[in-house]
Structure formats: structure tokens, C-alpha cells
Amino acid sequence: MEDHSLEKKYSKFIVAVSIIIPVVVAILFGVKLKDFGINVEPLSFLPPIYATINGITAIVLIWAVLAIKNGKRKLHEQLMTSAIALSVAFLVMYVAYHMTADSTKFGGEGVIRYVYFFILITHILLSIAIIPLVLISYVRALAQRFDRHRKIAKITFPLWLYVAVTGVVIYLMISPYYA
């Protein structure tokens, strides 16, 4: 049974979360714990972990699409919930790392520098854009509005997959320059 009210009920929440997350991440990205007298060693072990989480997220997203195409709705639901949890874990680790360490500058030169910044900028912009898309897709599925869920999921999936894959690519490109 479709639940039109569920979608409406969560619409303000989706808008709020879609604004709050990028704003809080941007603010926290600039906050260094050492500036507040909190002496914490840089969490330099985190980048390969959160890059791996991005890679796992990409695999889970592809697996989830294959599951639904094969009629395995429950598996699809579990995988999509896992993809959201992985994305949240990534975000927490990413912010924690940047609150304890200075940003790493990309050291590549020439064409590769432009490629890196193109990938980085599109990754950042799309990582912001997918927040409401993921939440809307998820709520539409919970509300059993599968016709509307499918429509937005066709946009959400490739963008989310791009963000997950480019997260790994960015890590691989910048990792030689970590201090």
C-alpha cells in the first residue's frame, strides 16, 4: 500500500538535512582541534580506510541494482541501507581526519593537475547533490511509491556511483602527497 503522507512528512527533513550536512561539513573542514588547545595526533590512518569505504559503497550500489533487477527486493533494500550507512561512516571519518590534519596539496603538474581538479570539483558538487536524491529515493521506497522511487533512483544511482568511485580515484591521486 502506497503512503503519500510519508513522503510529505519527510520532505522538510530532507531539505533540512540536505542543507545542514554540507554546511556543517564545510565548517568542520575548517576547524582544527589543535586551534582549540586539543592536542590530538593527526588521524593519518583514516584516508585509506575511508577510500576503501567509498570503494565498498560502489560495489554495494552495483550489487543493489543487480539485486532489484533480479527481483530480490529485500536484498536490494538491505544493500541500499548498507550503502547509506557506509556513506555516513565515510563522512564521519572524513571530517575527523580533516579536524586533526592539514589538507594535503595535490603535487601533480601539467594535464594531470587539471584532471585531478576536475574530478575533485565534480566529486564535491555531486556529493552535495546526492544527499537529497538519496534521501528522496529512500523515503519513496519506504512509502512504497515504487514508480516514483524508480524515476529518481535512475538519477541517484549513477551520480552516487560516480561520487563513490571518484572518492577512490581522488585518494589514489593524492596519496603520494600525504605527509
Side-chain angles (χ1 to χ4, degrees), residues 9-10 17 19 22 46 52 54 68 92 97 102 112 125 127 135 139 143 145 151 155 167:
K9 175 182 172 184
Y10 282 104
V17 168
I19 294 168
L46 285 178
T52 301
N54 267 328
I68 200 64
V92 169
Y97 170 75
D102 293 326
I112 196 69
L125 293 175
S127 71
L135 294 173
V139 168
R145 302 205 55 201
K151 281 182 183 175
I155 298 165

Side-chain angles (χ1 to χ4, degrees), residues 48-58 85-87 89-91 93 164 168:
I49 295 170
Y50 61 69
T52 301
I53 287 174
N54 267 328
I56 293 168
T57 301
L86 286 165
S87 294
F90 161 83
L91 192 58
M93 285 185 239
V168 176

Side-chain angles (χ1 to χ4, degrees), residues 126-162:
L126 290 174
S127 71
I128 294 166
I130 64 165
I131 296 168
L133 294 173
V134 167
L135 294 173
I136 292 165
S137 298
Y138 197 73
V139 168
R140 286 181 178 175
L142 288 176
Q144 297 184 18
R145 302 205 55 201
F146 298 116
D147 56 330
R148 292 172 51 89
H149 169 76
R150 271 189 297 278
K151 281 182 183 175
I152 197 162
K154 286 180 180 181
I155 298 165
T156 305
F157 168 71
L159 296 180
W160 194 357
L161 184 61
Y162 178 86

Side-chain angles (χ1 to χ4, degrees), residues 59-72 75-76 79 157:
I59 292 165
V60 169
L61 289 171
I62 293 166
W63 188 8
V65 168
L66 293 173
I68 200 64
K69 286 186 183 290
N70 288 310
K72 298 177 179 175
L75 177 60
H76 173 76
L79 290 167
F157 168 71

